[in-house]
Amino acid sequence: MPKHAIDNCPRCGQLFTCKVNSVLHCDCQYIGLSKTETEYIRDIALFEYDGQCLCLACLNELKADCQPTPSGEAAR
């Protein structure tokens, strides 16, 4: 089995390199997700994209969605 695979992001359709077989080199390891952000993104990927990996751009967008709004509530 190849170490990395070229795949289409199920959220935006862009090509990206999925590193599921080398998780320590996965893009999600480099964007510094908190536990809350990780759970939020995991749930979205699981329920909306059948658990598929997302590209770095989408991970960053979803991370930004978790940032507190001026009223102190998480954006959704």
Side-chain angles (χ1 to χ4, degrees):
M1 175 176 252
K3 187 174 181 180
H4 305 307
I6 303 298
D7 202 356
N8 287 85
C9 177
R11 183 170 182 263
C12 70
Q14 292 295 315
L15 287 176
F16 74 105
T17 303
C18 179
K19 300 173 186 144
V20 72
N21 292 320
S22 184
V23 74
L24 294 178
H25 295 104
C26 183
D27 289 340
C28 62
Q29 297 294 316
Y30 297 109
I31 63 171
L33 298 173
S34 69
K35 182 178 179 185
T36 301
E37 292 164 341
T38 300
E39 290 171 352
Y40 173 71
I41 293 171
R42 180 201 61 216
D43 289 347
I44 287 174
L46 181 62
F47 295 112
E48 294 184 24
Y49 306 110
D50 200 28
Q52 296 179 53
C53 292
L54 302 174
C55 71
L56 183 58
C58 285
L59 291 173
N60 279 313
E61 287 176 14
L62 291 171
K63 177 181 177 165
D65 287 349
C66 287
Q67 300 306 309
T69 59
S71 65
E73 297 178 18
R76 297 223 180 203

